[in-house]
Amino acid sequence: MNFMDAVKTCFAKYADFTGRASRSEYWWFVLFEVIVLIVAQLIHQYVYAIAALGFLLPALSAGARRLHDIGKSGWFLLLGLIPLVNFYLLFLLVQPSQSDSNQFGAPPVA
């Protein structure tokens, strides 16, 4: 999945916490989010706050779908709130996709 397809997919599934997201889809969306938030911060802190709130739900749903892709529950995103344990969450997010179906559905189409 390329950059634009990943961003379009994540915004199309704005609040869809079901299904699976490929590794490329998730990380391209994270890159887009970081770039937009850096630019927004350079403009003004209020623009940054609005952009961060706008990205909150799509980022959570993409993260949950990414965890579903490796066979984990989306609730594992809460590990990001615990210092040092959040490195385990990062480890999970970089794992390769499961090639077969799991309890969260069929593998995402690349």
Side-chain angles (χ1 to χ4, degrees):
M1 178 170 284
N2 64 27
F3 182 77
M4 289 306 297
D5 289 340
V7 173
K8 287 177 186 177
T9 301
C10 286
F11 279 118
K13 297 179 178 182
Y14 190 84
D16 184 10
F17 290 85
T18 60
R20 294 167 64 171
S22 67
R23 186 167 44 174
S24 62
E25 175 185 339
Y26 176 74
W27 287 109
W28 280 124
F29 182 71
V30 168
L31 176 65
F32 175 73
E33 180 181 9
V34 167
I35 291 170
V36 168
L37 291 178
I38 288 173
V39 170
Q41 179 65 40
L42 294 173
I43 295 172
H44 198 276
Q45 64 185 3
Y46 293 135
V47 176
Y48 174 80
I50 291 169
L53 284 174
F55 274 110
L56 182 63
L57 206 52
L60 288 174
S61 67
R65 288 185 285 112
R66 175 69 198 125
L67 287 170
H68 290 172
D69 193 41
I70 61 168
K72 301 289 185 193
S73 171
W75 289 103
F76 272 79
L77 283 174
L78 293 175
L79 291 175
L81 299 174
I82 304 170
L84 297 179
V85 177
N86 55 11
F87 290 114
Y88 178 65
L89 176 62
L90 182 63
F91 172 75
L92 291 176
L93 292 172
V94 298
Q95 295 301 305
S97 300
Q98 290 181 348
S99 59
D100 54 344
S101 295
N102 62 19
Q103 68 267 28
F104 300 106
V109 177

